[in-house]
Amino acid sequence: MGANTSKEHHLVPKYWLRAFAEDGHVLGRWRGGAEHRTPVRRAAVVRHFNTDPLAEGEQRVALETYLDQHVDGPCAPVLRAARQGQWPLPQAQHALALDALAWQVVRTQAFRSFDEQVGRHLFPALWAMEAVEYCEERLERPLSQAQRMEVFWTALRTAPDPSVIGDPRSALRASIRAFERTRDLLAAPGRRLVLLRSSEPLLVLSDSAVALRRKDGTFGLTPPLLPETIEVFAPLSPTCLLISTPRTHHRVHQGLTRKIAAKANAGASAWCQKAVYRPPSMPWPARLQLSAAPLEVRAPRLSALPAQHPPGPEPAHPEIRRSELRTLLEQLSREQPPLSTPGA
């Protein structure tokens, strides 16, 4: 790990960025159209992105340390081998490639933005449901259906900002839990990894690295984020595209065509948060335009009816199968002890 790991966290691993670099630099294009030659160490970086704000010492960067040692370290040679034409991968390396893809989906600003936006849209309804239960507890009797609806809609309209119950660790926990779901999806029966190559540079790389393409051909943040039909586009280099797909329409013998590259580049444009990168000597793809703003989750149109039957069991989080991740999740779930006061 670099000396600045505790502060500067790469949303795209440096080993991945280097495949798009020349002389240690990539050319980044920002939404406003400006382009800057950027060293790999400064590309796709956000300060303290994976820092635990309530921990001290090395535990503050426990997640970033895990990504460095247990994800990027083992996965870098596997994706390098794929770029160099070693395909298909042996079973153990195939599993590591799935790890790399799954983590790349959830370690970015795009995923965190999705999680935050969904939470912001749902918070008023959840607040209103709690308000109904609170009223019934205080009155020590059930409300009538009309009363329940009146309390619900009044609480919904007057719900406070979600920051009132903000948890600075929730985004870190969400990425760990989402990794397990994403990894299971990518390894599901019927899905496969397809590697497409071209003889000339055609692909650009966003600061999310991957893009999720829906069955209708769109790239969006519409829940659910990962339906079974989703395709994951992952440019490994300007000439190499890795796709996780349940479909069989990709023709490996045709290689990476300009049409498929255009789809991948459209995904990079949609899923970028700030910049899209390419080698400095590579021209910007024709007709590719960066989207005007990062992807947004559209606010849902809510409707409510009194429950006609007892609620079922609450959905459970996926099992965290890796001991190091379980330890991380326990750290991020522990309550922070109160700060001691001088002289106490």
Side-chain angles (χ1 to χ4, degrees), residues 16-29:
W16 202 318
L17 286 159
R18 290 190 188 104
F20 290 80
E22 294 169 347
D23 298 325
H25 289 73
V26 291
L27 189 61
R29 175 174 288 203

Side-chain angles (χ1 to χ4, degrees), residues 31-51:
R31 292 190 186 279
E35 292 193 340
H36 299 282
R37 183 180 170 92
T38 307
V40 166
R41 63 182 177 82
R42 298 295 305 151
V45 163
V46 174
R47 179 174 286 254
H48 291 306
F49 190 73
N50 290 318
T51 296

